[in-house]
Amino acid sequence: MLNDIFNILLPHICLGGFIILQLILSIVLSPRLYRYARLISIVGIVLSILLLSTVQTEPQYFAFRGSLMSDSYTLLFDFAILVCGFFVALLTRKLVKTIKRHAYTFHAILLTAIFGAMNVISANDFLTLFVSIELLSFSTYFLIAASKGYPSKEASFKYLLTSAVSTGVFLFGVSYLYGITGSLNLSQIYEITMSTEPSIMYSIAAILIVSGLISKLALFPFANWVIDVYKNTESSILAFLSTIPKLAVFGILCRLLVFPLSNSFELTFVLAIISLVTALWANTYAIRNNNVKVILACSASANSAYVLLAACLVSVYNLSTVIFYLLCYVFMNISVFSFLNIHDRLNVDDYKGLFYKNHGLVGAYAFSILALAGIPITSGFVAKIYLFSAIANSGLIFVPFLLILLILTVVALYYYLKIIIPLFQSCDKNTEVQKLNPVFSQKFVLVVTAIITLLIGIYPEKIIELCRFIAYNI
């Protein structure tokens, strides 16, 4: 047990210790000391990042009778989750000021969500996976509802209802798979399914399991929550929602598709159709909207659809493109929502003329939006080219899917430009352009993530090599 703890769990235990510390401080400290809650979370996340160096990855390490595992794949995703958590914690300053006496409880829940996401990545059996997903999900419900007012509570409740249905679908699939194989361990299920002929029940189980997981990715048929949740949720929580759950779910989904669920040919076509329908819905819905958060919600669904199509066409090359795309995508999203954390307005017209008094901030924001659109010299451009080339190399049968996604990517330029163009438009003479006054943490997150997006776009080779190494050694 001690070997398991020291070889795999030190980052998790560190994070767990800071969760307990936040809960204790929420009881004993005066509400006037709410400012320290954010600092404590940042310290805990940084220490967990440093402790990742203690995790054994070569060879793969299985802990607690195979229920948890670590390798270079889990290490990379844990690092990405913690880095995203670090940026999100920095952005919570404005929200914490509004909830003051609940600040320590809020940050305990945020750390719990990060802890759950890391355990999702490390899970090697369906029981551990289920508990980890529910830990992440329940924390997310409370984070969404953290803002004052009725809309955030309504958004949280809608997300809870959707997640409850998807959890039932997931467990139904797991029960079928257990009935077929007699095991919940991912490695054992893979060995059993590879040594037997796939049955129709196996394919049904695989489809149900994956359908339950993709609700967290705002994919059809569980995409109905994303519009209301994005519209009514505070921007720092959206920075969390658009990055950490996506990393966790896509991380475990790719592992499931490569190993225990890889013997279902029907699953590939079901996921390809889901990704296509989601991309069509998201891009067409975004065109008709002028609400910035709704447009970004549709963008989140569309990007998840692109990644899902590459992920379901299982190969080492495709897996490396998925990892690279996710790494690029999370930095673009955090950059965008860090600007909304500074200037949190809903309508695109509310951003008119901001560039003329906020050159640097608006420039970084516009660059991040262009990255989401996939414009050259951004990491988004490299990621989309890499992803679509992987789909093109997956067989002629998927070329029509690729062509439709390419058309939709061009269509998406319209609503991304709808966000950017007002920034550079001149205002009426009677309208005074607002001078933004962000605090250091907001500027730091916006600038750093925008610079990372630019650097990966200019020089992506090292990151691509790392992603290929991770994919070959999964």
Side-chain angles (χ1 to χ4, degrees):
M1 183 176 176
L2 286 176
N3 284 336
D4 290 346
I5 290 172
F6 283 106
N7 287 329
I8 188 174
L9 283 184
L10 284 182
H12 302 70
I13 290 173
C14 175
L15 212 55
F18 275 86
I19 293 168
I20 295 169
L21 177 62
Q22 292 278 25
L23 292 173
I24 293 171
L25 294 178
S26 70
I27 299 170
V28 300
L29 284 187
S30 167
R32 289 176 294 179
L33 301 174
Y34 70 90
R35 291 183 179 85
Y36 296 106
R38 188 172 63 120
L39 178 61
I40 291 168
S41 288
I42 291 168
V43 171
I45 292 168
V46 170
L47 286 176
S48 295
I49 292 173
L50 295 175
L51 286 172
L52 287 176
S53 61
T54 65
V55 175
Q56 180 178 321
T57 59
E58 297 295 336
Q60 287 181 327
Y61 190 87
F62 294 90
F64 301 105
R65 297 186 178 180
S67 61
L68 293 172
M69 67 169 298
S70 68
D71 56 11
S72 54
Y73 180 82
T74 61
L75 184 66
L76 177 66
F77 273 90
D78 282 346
F79 177 75
I81 287 168
L82 286 169
V83 169
C84 290
F86 172 76
F87 286 131
V88 170
L90 285 173
L91 291 176
T92 58
R93 182 180 184 273
K94 187 165 68 172
L95 178 59
V96 164
K97 283 184 72 175
T98 65
I99 59 175
K100 290 184 180 178
R101 69 189 181 92
H102 301 297
Y104 290 97
T105 307
F106 169 81
H107 273 278
I109 295 170
L110 176 61
L111 292 181
T112 303
I114 297 169
F115 179 82
M118 292 173 68
N119 279 292
V120 169
I121 295 295
S122 301
N124 193 47
D125 68 47
F126 279 111
L127 181 59
T128 306
L129 176 58
F130 170 71
V131 172
S132 302
I133 287 176
E134 290 308 296
L135 188 62
L136 172 60
S137 297
F138 273 91
S139 302
T140 305
Y141 306 148
F142 289 110
L143 291 175
I144 293 171
S147 302
K148 290 184 177 180
Y150 173 78
S152 64
K153 278 62 178 179
E154 181 187 1
S156 176
F157 188 66
K158 287 180 178 178
Y159 184 53
L160 185 152
L161 289 178
T162 306
S163 294
V165 174
S166 63
T167 298
V169 172
F170 171 79
L171 289 176
F172 201 40
V174 171
S175 67
Y176 274 163
L177 195 59
Y178 179 76
I180 295 166
T181 62
S183 176
L184 292 173
N185 186 276
L186 304 187
S187 303
Q188 292 176 6
I189 292 171
Y190 176 64
E191 292 174 3
I192 293 167
T193 54
M194 286 294 104
S195 61
T196 58
E197 286 293 320
S199 64
I200 188 66
M201 290 303 296
Y202 170 77
S203 294
I204 292 172
I207 292 168
L208 290 174
I209 289 169
V210 174
S211 297
L213 285 174
I214 62 176
S215 70
K216 306 294 186 293
L217 305 173
L219 290 163
F220 178 85
F222 298 110
N224 58 323
W225 60 268
V226 71
I227 303 298
D228 289 327
V229 169
Y230 270 63
K231 194 190 300 183
N232 300 313
T233 303
E234 204 270 341
S235 52
S236 63
I237 305 305
L238 289 181
F240 162 84
L241 195 62
S242 64
T243 55
I244 292 175
K246 279 186 167 54
L247 283 169
V249 176
F250 266 123
I252 192 62
L253 181 60
C254 288
R255 191 182 287 280
L256 292 175
L257 293 173
V258 170
F259 292 111
L261 307 183
S262 61
N263 212 18
S264 174
F265 188 66
E266 295 84 357
L267 177 62
T268 299
F269 278 94
V270 169
L271 293 182
I273 292 168
I274 287 173
S275 65
L276 191 61
V277 172
T278 304
L280 281 166
W281 167 79
N283 285 294
T284 52
Y285 194 94
I287 288 171
R288 299 184 285 113
N289 266 277
N290 289 321
N291 186 305
V292 174
K293 287 186 175 179
V294 170
I295 292 172
L296 292 174
C298 294
S299 169
S301 288
N303 279 284
S304 293
Y306 306 152
V307 177
L308 181 67
L309 183 57
C312 72
L313 308 176
V314 182
S315 71
V316 171
Y317 183 71
N318 283 28
L319 180 58
S320 68
T321 65
V322 167
I323 297 170
F324 180 75
Y325 196 98
L326 289 172
L327 292 177
C328 296
Y329 175 78
V330 293
F331 288 117
M332 293 184 277
N333 257 291
I334 290 176
S335 184
V336 168
F337 286 112
S338 63
F339 183 81
L340 295 187
N341 194 247
I342 298 168
H343 188 69
D344 198 359
R345 299 289 186 273
L346 293 181
N347 198 286
V348 291
D349 293 331
D350 296 331
Y351 294 79
K352 192 172 285 186
L354 275 180
F355 176 76
Y356 298 105
K357 284 194 176 180
N358 309 276
H359 301 295
L361 297 174
V362 172
Y365 171 62
F367 180 78
S368 301
I369 295 290
L370 290 173
L372 284 173
I375 300 301
I377 81 158
T378 67
S379 62
F381 173 75
V382 180
K384 279 188 167 60
I385 293 295
Y386 193 24
L387 192 78
F388 290 150
S389 68
I391 298 170
N393 291 328
S394 298
L396 289 174
I397 194 170
F398 295 104
V399 170
F401 290 86
L402 175 62
L403 292 175
I404 295 171
L405 290 187
L406 286 171
I407 293 168
L408 291 173
T409 304
V410 175
V411 170
L413 283 172
Y414 172 77
Y415 61 78
Y416 285 122
L417 290 174
K418 193 158 58 172
I419 297 175
I420 294 172
I421 289 173
L423 297 168
F424 302 93
Q425 288 179 337
S426 56
C427 295
D428 299 332
K429 292 181 179 179
N430 299 327
T431 306
E432 186 177 351
V433 178
Q434 182 181 353
K435 173 68 176 176
L436 303 177
N437 294 302
V439 296
F440 173 77
S441 58
Q442 293 171 320
K443 288 192 288 188
F444 175 81
V445 175
L446 174 60
V447 172
V448 168
T449 50
I451 289 172
I452 292 171
T453 300
L454 175 62
L455 291 177
I456 297 176
I458 295 172
Y459 190 67
E461 287 82 4
K462 292 296 182 183
I463 305 295
I464 291 175
E465 286 178 15
L466 173 64
C467 293
R468 286 177 178 168
F469 172 80
I470 299 294
Y472 275 107
N473 289 279
I474 186 172

